[in-house]
C-alpha cells in the first residue's frame, strides 16, 4: 500500500520519460545556428531547443520518481541526506526547469526576460549562463555523484523485476 501512489504516477511518468529521452538525439540533429530575430533562425532554435526542453522535463520526472522510491525504501545512500532534502532537491529541479524554459521561450517569442547581449549586459549574460550550467549540475552531476557513491560501496548490485508489494 505504501507504494500505491508511486506505482500510479510511474504508469504516467515512465512512457513520457521514454519518449522524451529517446527524442533527445534531435538536439544534435537540429543546429541552433541562425540569425536571431529571423524566421529561419527562430525555427532552427525551436527545432533544437524543443527536444532539449523535453529531455529536461524527463529528467525532472525521473528525479521525482527516484527520490520518491528511495525515500519509500529507506535507501538514502548518505546518512546526512534526509527525505526532506531529497524533496527540496526535486523542488529545486522543478523551479530551475520552469525558469530555464520560460527564459528560452521568452527569447523565442522575441521578448527576452532580461538583456544578455555582450559586452553591453555582462550581468544578464552571467545570470543566463548560471541558469544553464546550474541546470547541468543539478540534473546530471548530482545524480551521477550519488550513483557513484552508491556503486562504490563494495556491495553487489542486484536487479529484481517484480511487482512492489
Amino acid at each position: 500500500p505504501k507504494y500505491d501512489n508511486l506505482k500510479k504516477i510511474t504508469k504516467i511518468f515512465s512512457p513520457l520519460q521514454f519518449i522524451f529521452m529517446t527524442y533527445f538525439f534531435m538536439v544534435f540533429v537540429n543546429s541552433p545556428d541562425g540569425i536571431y530575430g529571423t524566421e529561419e533562425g527562430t525555427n532552427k532554435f525551436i527545432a533544437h531547443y524543443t527536444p532539449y526542453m523535453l529531455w529536461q522535463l524527463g529528467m525532472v520526472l525521473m528525479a521525482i520518481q527516484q527520490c520518491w522510491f528511495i525515500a519509500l525504501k529507506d535507501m538514502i545512500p548518505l546518512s546526512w541526506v534526509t527525505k526532506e532534502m531529497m524533496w527540496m532537491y526535486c523542488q529545486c529541479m522543478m523551479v530551475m526547469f520552469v525558469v530555464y524554459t520560460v527564459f528560452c521561450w521568452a527569447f523565442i517569442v522575441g521578448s527576452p526576460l532580461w538583456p544578455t547581449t555582450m559586452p553591453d549586459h555582462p550581468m544578464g549574460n552571467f545570470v543566463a549562463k548560471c541558469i544553464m550550467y546550474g541546470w547541468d549540475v543539478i540534473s546530471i552531476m548530482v545524480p551521477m555523484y550519488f550513483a557513484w557513491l552508491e556503486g562504490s560501496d563494495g556491495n553487489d548490485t542486484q536487479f529484481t523485476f517484480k511487482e512492489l508489494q
Side-chain angles (χ1 to χ4, degrees):
K2 79 176 187 177
Y3 297 101
D4 288 347
N5 290 331
L6 178 60
K7 288 193 288 187
K8 287 176 188 173
I9 205 73
T10 296
K11 290 178 182 179
I12 298 166
F13 282 9
S14 292
L16 293 173
Q17 287 170 262
F18 178 78
I19 293 166
F20 297 164
M21 302 287 182
T22 306
Y23 190 54
F24 180 70
F25 78 96
M26 293 301 290
V27 167
F28 304 106
V29 172
N30 299 318
S31 171
D33 296 336
I35 299 170
Y36 177 72
T38 66
E39 185 177 351
E40 179 189 10
T42 301
N43 290 340
K44 283 183 170 188
F45 186 76
I46 290 171
H48 171 77
Y49 177 66
T50 301
Y52 185 73
M53 177 188 66
L54 294 175
W55 172 79
Q56 287 178 307
L57 180 56
M59 294 297 284
V60 170
L61 298 178
M62 185 169 58
I64 293 168
Q65 271 182 292
Q66 292 300 310
C67 288
W68 195 352
F69 177 73
I70 289 169
L72 287 175
K73 293 284 281 184
D74 289 321
M75 296 180 358
I76 300 172
L78 297 172
S79 60
W80 56 269
V81 176
T82 65
K83 292 176 183 180
E84 291 77 21
M85 290 170 72
M86 291 175 62
W87 176 237
M88 286 174 37
Y89 167 74
C90 290
Q91 290 174 320
C92 181
M93 279 193 74
M94 289 185 266
V95 168
M96 284 288 288
F97 171 73
V98 169
V99 169
Y100 197 118
T101 302
V102 169
F103 175 77
C104 287
W105 281 102
F107 266 96
I108 290 169
V109 299
S111 298
L113 297 178
W114 63 83
T116 59
T117 54
M118 290 297 283
D120 299 333
H121 304 307
M123 184 54 82
N125 187 276
F126 175 76
V127 171
K129 287 183 179 181
C130 285
I131 291 169
M132 290 185 278
Y133 294 126
W135 171 263
D136 292 339
V137 169
I138 68 167
S139 70
I140 298 169
M141 302 306 286
V142 169
M144 188 168 65
Y145 174 70
F146 279 93
W148 177 79
L149 280 177
E150 190 173 352
S152 64
D153 65 3
N155 294 329
D156 291 335
T157 301
Q158 178 180 346
F159 291 97
T160 306
F161 296 95
K162 66 179 182 177
E163 193 68 28
L164 295 173
Q165 302 302 321

